[in-house]
Amino acid sequence: RNRPPKSLRELDMDLPRGIVQDVSFPKDGAVLVILEVPTLYGAVLQFTPTGSSGSRQWRCTAQAIPNELLPSPCRENPPAAP
């Protein structure tokens, strides 16, 4: 189609049922993962590319997800090491 997909659904890809509702790719290069977990239905994990080509890293942020339920790289204030 000569363009990146807008979502995985557009590619007719299977998503993990009961976990991920959809994955979309906004024009800014980010990846949005929309959750389907019952207690977090519709919550969004956003992965934003940082760095330059060849040293790309991903910054994770979340919308409507309690900090304690996030993967550690996505937490605003990760717990201190013991």
Side-chain angles (χ1 to χ4, degrees), residues 8-82:
L8 288 184
R9 291 196 189 278
E10 184 178 295
L11 298 174
D12 292 326
M13 292 186 73
D14 291 332
L15 298 170
R17 292 183 187 263
I19 299 171
V20 176
Q21 181 181 16
D22 200 5
V23 176
S24 62
F25 309 95
K27 291 181 181 179
D28 64 1
V31 177
L32 300 178
V33 179
I34 302 138
L35 301 177
E36 192 174 47
V37 178
T39 57
L40 298 173
Y41 189 88
V44 177
L45 283 173
Q46 178 172 332
F47 297 90
T48 307
T50 62
S52 59
S53 182
S55 65
R56 181 78 58 210
Q57 296 180 352
W58 294 90
R59 182 174 157 257
C60 175
T61 55
Q63 300 170 14
I65 302 174
N67 224 26
E68 63 273 8
L69 298 178
L70 291 170
S72 58
C74 299
R75 293 182 186 153
E76 290 179 23
N77 297 307

